[in-house]
Amino acid sequence: LSEELVASQEQQQDMESLPVPSVQAMVAATGEADVPPRYLRPAEAVTGIVNGEGEAQIPIIDYRRLLLELDRRGEESARLHQACQEWGFFQLINHSVPDDVVEGMKANIQQFFQLPAETKKLFAQERGQLEGYGQLFVVSEDQKLDWADMLYLYTQPPESRNTKFWPDQPVNFRSTLDRYSGAVKEIADSLLATMAENLGLKQEVIADRCVGGVQSVRMNYYPPCAQADKVIGFSPHSDADLLTLVLQVNHVQGLQIKRNGSWFPVRPVEGALIVNIGDIFEIFTNGRYRSIEHRAVVDPKEERLSSAAFHSPNIDATIGPLKELTADEDEAYKTVDHENFMRLFFATKLEGKSFLDRMKLK
Ligand code: OGA
Ligand code: NI
């Protein structure tokens, strides 16, 4: 892996010379003007086969019921286990994030992306860094770009916060994100506890690795595009973390998951959080729970906004198959330290599950 790391650092340096793509150029391109070539994809890359029939919806899990079952596995925990094994994605209803916090997050994200470009640029990513307003996974001058802007922030543990990237307008952006971050982290920890039990593990096996666990929040803005069928909002990828919780910010849909070789559209249920298994969970469980490839498509007329909270173990935790699960089987993934794992992930172009493939042992 060390060779790959050197390569990734070299790429990181190349990246410093890249301009942060400006949303202004994209917005200009949404009218009659042509879409800049760096955003145009071959037709088959955008459409793929979209499967809207058959299965109606990803599983829905009731958080309130799960909490009642925390110390005695019941029906809802069993449904969660099935959702994790068969889908890797589910919608969580009756979650514990207070309504005013959810509504506050939605309003703040919408208002932030509406700010003038000069104001947003005050929070722009800096050379070679991930946090701030801009784009991620841009590793070469010639790669295609996603039709989106984002704001990426570390939110937990609190001492990892870099508040200079935290917008101070809208005025309550920071306090709302602080409350949202805490509430969502609590849900992630509690889901992980049930998942551990579902896998026959003591809760501590995962919980100990998540003491001081890392949470980051990525807020996504997908402008409308007159040529929506020729661009992609978010390239196909799986998330690198343990568990991601996504808030759909406005009513425009666009998230699709890869299922049985087709793209399956997620239809968000009002008030639900969309939860998915990330690569670290797949590695921890030696493949029992798999991370699922997903992407976001763009709407021709309306903007779309979403917010993803990524949850990872603490920075000292080693990323590799859990010994408790591999007593009687071969390890299918490499073991690496957390920092190098993340560095490599962000230095790689998003391309389905290709990053995770590099973690696989032959
Ligand atoms: C992500 C992601 C999808 C969406 O941020 O990792 O997959 O719906 N977002 O915006
Ligand atoms: Ni994702």
Side-chain angles (χ1 to χ4, degrees), residues 45-325:
V46 181
T47 45
I49 303 157
V50 177
N51 182 354
E53 319 317 305
E55 293 138 315
Q57 186 49 287
I58 62 173
I60 292 176
I61 301 294
D62 188 329
Y63 186 67
R64 214 174 284 151
R65 286 189 183 197
L66 270 187
L67 285 188
L68 295 173
E69 293 175 8
L70 245 192
D71 298 312
R72 42 162 196 96
R73 287 182 55 203
E75 226 172 272
E76 203 64 11
S77 310
R79 296 184 63 242
L80 176 66
H81 188 48
Q82 201 176 2
C84 291
Q85 281 182 309
E86 291 173 16
W87 287 81
F89 258 89
F90 57 90
Q91 303 209 40
L92 191 68
I93 58 166
N94 290 325
H95 59 74
S96 55
V97 188
D99 281 346
D100 67 312
V101 176
V102 169
E103 292 313 313
M105 273 293 283
K106 289 182 180 177
N108 286 341
I109 294 171
Q110 272 172 314
Q111 286 167 33
F112 173 76
F113 285 107
Q114 275 167 15
L115 290 172
E118 314 85 75
T119 314
K120 285 182 287 198
K121 278 193 187 134
L122 298 172
F123 309 98
Q125 286 167 311
E126 289 172 3
R127 285 163 180 268
Q129 296 223 320
L130 305 171
E131 275 187 286
Y133 170 69
Q135 292 212 340
L136 287 171
F137 309 103
V138 181
V139 297
S140 75
E141 302 271 359
D142 53 3
Q143 90 185 62
K144 294 291 180 188
L145 296 178
D146 286 348
W147 191 261
D149 267 7
M150 62 103 221
L151 173 65
Y152 184 66
L153 301 170
Y154 290 115
T155 44
Q156 299 284 350
E159 58 272 23
S160 70
R161 293 179 187 179
N162 222 329
T163 40
K164 73 172 172 184
F165 293 113
W166 287 47
D168 52 4
Q169 45 181 305
V171 281
N172 52 0
F173 187 103
R174 293 180 179 179
S175 58
T176 306
L177 181 57
D178 174 56
R179 289 179 67 202
Y180 182 76
S181 157
V184 169
K185 173 86 165 70
E186 205 176 294
I187 297 172
D189 285 341
S190 146
L191 289 174
L192 288 169
T194 303
M195 290 175 183
E197 300 229 325
N198 280 340
L199 289 158
L201 296 167
K202 291 205 175 79
Q203 288 184 15
E204 304 80 72
V205 172
I206 291 177
D208 286 352
R209 290 171 165 84
C210 292
V211 175
V214 176
Q215 182 199 58
S216 57
V217 173
R218 178 184 163 123
M219 289 151 264
N220 301 299
Y221 171 69
Y222 306 97
C225 182
Q227 302 192 59
D229 54 349
K230 297 200 177 64
V231 301
I232 285 197
F234 206 141
S235 292
H237 67 283
S238 55
D239 297 342
D241 62 344
L242 269 175
L243 210 57
T244 307
L245 278 69
V246 175
L247 175 68
Q248 172 83 17
V249 171
N250 69 350
H251 67 281
V252 182
Q253 298 176 11
L255 178 61
Q256 299 181 338
I257 69 174
K258 194 80 168 272
R259 183 157 172 83
N260 304 325
S262 307
W263 290 107
F264 184 94
V266 173
R267 298 186 193 85
V269 170
E270 180 68 33
L273 289 167
I274 297 157
V275 184
N276 64 284
I277 302 287
D279 294 343
I280 296 180
F281 214 113
E282 176 167 334
I283 296 169
F284 269 12
T285 63
N286 211 29
R288 283 171 179 73
Y289 287 176
R290 315 270 319 277
S291 64
I292 299 295
E293 197 175 327
H294 54 284
R295 68 178 187 180
V297 295
V298 171
D299 191 271
K301 296 229 166 59
E302 290 183 284
E303 63 183 24
R304 173 166 182 266
L305 296 109
S306 67
S307 174
F310 304 100
H311 299 85
S312 291
N314 60 53
I315 202 65
D316 299 319
T318 300
I319 308 303
L322 297 173
K323 298 280 173 275
E324 291 82 352
L325 292 174

